[in-house]
Amino acid sequence: MDYKQAALGMIERGEAGDYAALRDAFDMVRCLELDGSVEVDGQLIYNKERFREAHEIVKTIRTLSAKAVVHGGGAGMLDLNKRTLLFDAPWDFDAYLRYIEWNRPKEKRFYEPRRKRLKEVAAAMQLLADDELDTLGISLPPGVGKSTMGIFFICWLAGKNPDKPILAGSHSQSFLRGVYDECLRVMESGGEYLWQDVFPGVRIVDTNAKDMRIDLGEPKRFQTIEMTSVGSANAGKVRCEQLLYVDDLVSGIDQALSRERLDKLWDQFTVDLLQRRIGNCKTLIIATRWSVHDPIGRLESMNEGNDRAQFIRFPALNENDESNFDYENSVGFTTAFYRQQRDIMDDISWNALYQQKCLEREGLVFPSDRLRRYFQLPDVDPDAIISVCDTKEQGVDYCVMLTAYQYGNDYYIDNIICDNGKVDVIEHRIAQTLKDLGVQRCRIESNRGGTLFAQEVEKIQREIGGITNITTKWTQSNKETRIEISSGIAINRFLFKDDSVIKNDREYRTAMDMLVSYSSVGRAKHDDVPDAVSMLVDFINSFNANKVSIMRRPF
């Protein structure tokens, strides 16, 4: 029998809300999953193609049954939706998260109200389980559920493969005690979670509250879930064959501020935890992005260019300055809350804890507290209006144009374009801005495609009536050196808008974040704004170099 075609035919009839048709389609999908499977040494080996088709089709049944429930489809549709989740749960982490909380009161559920954001985290964890990644780093703001996701993940893996040990590590025993207790609660037989439904043949055979160990399936020396704090003597005591799960190794800001302590932590991490991995063990590290020298920062640097490693981070506030975690049921954090936190915290702690930007305090080239700020331009005409433009080279790069109003020796940076969109759109934006602001002179970087970019901007601005004199310059000096050398002049002579003025100016805010976070320690992810600042310093210096002075003839 062609189970796939039978299921698809029944789904077509069930699209109008026919419960019997969708129920029969689900029965066909269950048969399709087993079609072509064989049993080897008591273990069921699925036919990969049939298995994949079955679990793709069941998602359609789940969607249709959920839609029917919303429109009054009754208890049968609700139960069918639940059974489709259980069907996927051993293999699909998102389905597992939704199923195990099915019996919990809605107001107590963790995943469902947070799913719109955490589904992306679940998808990344799925890649680890499916052997598409070896290393995964996750950074989220405090309180949004990252550690709970980690706990659910290790309980899921433990049920899938109880004979392969999982090792969980953190900075303290007290944190791990909470992880241990929560794992037991998730896997408790007859408890509020439906973990036992997903893994009916798996039982807890041993627990050790003192050493925080949980063994599932057959008793063994290295138990299914083991926990240890970094710095413990772990030789011969623990092992991880399935997953090394690490959560918040850095104890706090005091440790994050000390390079010496971070170096020691890295040594402990590699000896106590990384060396405990054997075979095809995966690594999941969840952490605040304190520093390029903390464990997650070093792991990311080590894995640069490795397509088997992924490091994801979700900031508290998105590019529109709105909350990424304003969940349903009032379990999240509003935009107003995050903005208030930003106002009362120092920039570096805010960016590290909430925006997941690791900033090196000692290596900052443009420290926020040293930059000059202003609220409005002086009430007189400027001596000159000039601009510089650092052109966009790659998809992730930004095109940055700074427009400065000169008043004597001071330059007020009153307009910033910081755009990583399409080049042709940016060209028109630059040309229009030059005209609207009455910019007299503009220098555009000519490296790579910069010359063509400048030519197009020149053409557009002439067509719309612009008067700006546009020049280009090829830059040959080392970018990092050029930025550091120019920083002193920029700090002393440039004025930037006060934070209170740019709350609704997304691009100016983004540019300032890039500027104040630029560090000479480690590799900057975005150096486009600091580079534009160095270009402006060089452009200003070129005016002085071209001055003509009158002197007495020496003969």
Side-chain angles (χ1 to χ4, degrees):
M1 183 176 181
D2 190 336
Y3 297 114
K4 177 180 178 180
Q5 291 304 316
L8 292 175
M10 293 169 185
I11 287 174
E12 188 174 350
R13 296 202 308 272
E15 288 178 349
D18 185 334
Y19 166 69
L22 290 181
R23 179 198 60 201
D24 293 343
F26 181 58
D27 289 340
M28 290 298 101
V29 165
R30 296 175 65 184
C31 293
L32 177 61
E33 182 194 47
L34 297 173
D35 191 26
S37 63
V38 295
E39 188 171 320
V40 179
D41 297 330
Q43 183 178 1
L44 190 63
I45 308 297
Y46 293 97
N47 177 288
K48 290 184 178 180
E49 183 62 20
R50 297 289 182 271
F51 183 90
R52 181 189 62 79
E53 291 173 342
H55 287 272
E56 282 183 356
I57 295 172
V58 80
K59 290 175 173 55
T60 301
I61 300 174
R62 181 153 62 246
T63 300
L64 292 173
S65 60
K67 183 179 178 180
V69 169
V70 172
H71 292 88
M77 283 292 192
L78 186 64
D79 180 68
L80 177 61
N81 187 263
K82 178 183 178 182
R83 288 193 291 142
T84 65
L85 285 172
L86 179 58
F87 181 75
D88 271 346
W91 323 104
D92 185 307
F93 187 47
D94 176 70
Y96 158 84
L97 289 168
R98 299 172 70 188
Y99 180 80
I100 63 172
E101 292 194 283
W102 187 275
N103 285 353
R104 302 189 79 200
K106 287 188 175 181
E107 65 274 11
K108 292 181 63 178
R109 291 179 186 176
F110 164 77
Y111 185 64
E112 199 68 45
R114 298 170 172 84
R115 186 171 178 255
K116 69 177 183 180
R117 171 55 65 191
L118 295 187
K119 186 177 180 181
E120 297 176 66
V121 177
M125 291 179 170
Q126 183 76 48
L127 296 177
L128 273 185
D130 292 345
D131 194 28
E132 294 185 37
L133 290 177
D134 295 323
T135 302
L136 174 62
I138 297 174
S139 299
L140 303 172
V144 301
K146 54 185 183 293
S147 295
T148 304
M149 287 289 286
I151 291 169
F152 281 134
F153 187 61
I154 60 177
C155 290
W156 183 56
L157 293 183
K160 285 163 64 70
N161 295 294
D163 294 331
K164 292 186 175 182
I166 296 168
L167 177 60
S170 186
H171 68 278
S172 70
Q173 292 288 100
S174 59
F175 174 85
L176 291 171
R177 171 64 61 184
V179 174
Y180 172 83
D181 291 340
E182 191 64 18
C183 285
L184 287 177
R185 200 160 72 90
V186 170
M187 297 185 292
E188 179 186 8
S189 179
E192 62 178 319
Y193 293 98
L194 300 181
W195 184 90
Q196 203 72 63
D197 286 5
V198 181
F199 306 108
V202 181
R203 294 287 187 275
I204 296 176
V205 295
D206 188 31
T207 61
N208 184 326
K210 179 176 178 294
D211 294 330
M212 292 180 292
R213 299 185 180 187
I214 304 170
D215 205 10
L216 306 178
E218 297 297 324
K220 45 197 168 291
R221 177 186 172 187
F222 294 106
Q223 299 184 325
T224 307
I225 301 176
E226 302 176 322
M227 303 182 188
T228 185
S229 59
V230 67
S232 303
N234 292 318
K237 291 170 49 180
V238 296
R239 176 182 294 175
C240 49
E241 186 178 353
Q242 185 171 186
L243 178 73
L244 170 62
Y245 163 62
V246 182
D247 196 328
D248 271 340
L249 285 181
V250 179
S251 58
I253 191 169
D254 290 339
Q255 187 175 29
L257 284 169
S258 170
R259 174 64 186 274
E260 182 180 352
R261 292 178 66 183
L262 289 179
D263 288 343
K264 181 180 179 181
L265 177 62
W266 174 252
D267 291 339
Q268 293 174 327
F269 171 58
T270 54
V271 172
D272 293 337
L273 298 176
L274 283 182
Q275 289 192 28
R276 305 278 78 83
R277 298 176 301 173
I278 63 172
N280 191 31
C281 182
K282 309 302 181 183
T283 300
L284 170 62
I285 180 167
I286 297 176
T288 296
R289 303 309 301 260
W290 287 109
S291 166
V292 296
H293 301 295
D294 63 18
I296 192 170
R298 296 196 197 204
L299 279 178
E300 183 173 23
S301 179
M302 288 169 54
N303 284 283
E304 185 175 353
N306 179 8
D307 60 4
R308 299 278 301 177
Q310 182 178 352
F311 292 82
I312 61 176
R313 57 184 87 186
F314 294 113
L317 293 172
N318 62 22
E319 64 276 7
N320 295 317
D321 206 39
E322 297 175 347
S323 173
N324 273 322
F325 300 94
D326 195 357
Y327 297 133
E328 300 172 9
N329 299 349
S330 301
V331 297
F333 300 91
T334 65
T335 296
F337 171 82
Y338 279 141
R339 289 178 180 176
Q340 183 181 40
Q341 287 296 108
R342 181 175 62 191
D343 289 342
I344 64 177
M345 294 177 68
D346 67 275
D347 287 343
I348 293 176
S349 296
W350 159 259
N351 277 297
L353 272 171
Y354 286 91
Q355 294 300 93
Q356 304 310 311
K357 297 178 181 177
C358 48
L359 306 177
E360 303 310 309
R361 291 148 173 81
E362 295 180 358
L364 293 178
V365 178
F366 301 94
S368 180
D369 58 357
R370 292 191 61 198
L371 296 181
R372 299 172 66 189
R373 304 293 185 128
Y374 74 97
F375 294 95
Q376 59 185 14
L377 292 172
D379 193 21
V380 294
D381 290 337
D383 300 331
I385 304 175
I386 61 174
S387 295
V388 293
C389 181
D390 180 19
T391 55
K392 177 183 172 69
E393 295 181 357
Q394 302 176 26
V396 296
D397 286 341
Y398 283 78
C399 175
V400 178
M401 186 174 83
L402 308 179
T403 299
Y405 288 62
Q406 181 186 2
Y407 294 89
N409 289 325
D410 289 334
Y411 292 83
Y412 291 69
I413 313 302
D414 202 60
N415 185 276
I416 300 179
I417 289 179
C418 185
D419 193 338
N420 65 345
K422 294 182 178 180
V423 173
D424 57 342
V425 176
I426 297 173
E427 289 169 345
H428 282 81
R429 285 196 65 197
I430 296 291
Q432 189 65 53
T433 301
L434 293 175
K435 177 181 181 296
D436 293 344
L437 299 181
V439 175
Q440 295 149 345
R441 300 180 65 179
C442 175
R443 174 184 284 179
I444 297 179
E445 178 191 44
S446 63
N447 295 19
R448 296 190 184 181
T451 301
L452 294 176
F453 182 93
Q455 291 173 353
E456 191 62 28
V457 171
E458 168 72 13
K459 174 185 173 184
I460 296 170
Q461 72 119 8
R462 294 304 177 193
E463 290 174 350
I464 62 176
I467 60 170
T468 307
N469 174 256
I470 297 177
T471 59
T472 62
K473 183 179 180 182
W474 182 278
T475 305
Q476 293 180 317
S477 58
N478 178 271
K479 181 187 293 188
E480 289 77 16
T481 301
R482 187 174 69 247
I483 291 172
E484 290 200 46
I485 290 175
S486 67
S487 63
I489 296 175
I491 289 172
N492 290 326
R493 299 179 63 182
F494 293 179
L495 290 89
F496 298 90
K497 289 183 178 180
D498 187 80
D499 287 341
S500 63
V501 179
I502 61 174
K503 284 186 176 181
N504 296 320
D505 189 336
R506 178 180 61 83
E507 289 188 51
Y508 205 117
R509 285 198 325 271
T510 300
M512 292 306 296
D513 284 344
M514 292 183 187
L515 184 65
V516 300
S517 65
Y518 180 80
S519 173
S520 60
V521 180
R523 182 176 178 180
K525 186 174 183 180
H526 290 298
D527 56 13
D528 307 290
V529 176
D531 196 24
V533 168
S534 73
M535 285 179 59
L536 184 57
V537 170
D538 184 67
F539 195 28
I540 293 169
N541 287 340
S542 70
F543 303 153
N544 297 328
N546 293 331
K547 282 185 177 180
V548 177
S549 59
I550 300 174
M551 59 179 294
R552 182 183 299 275
R553 191 170 66 179
F555 53 85

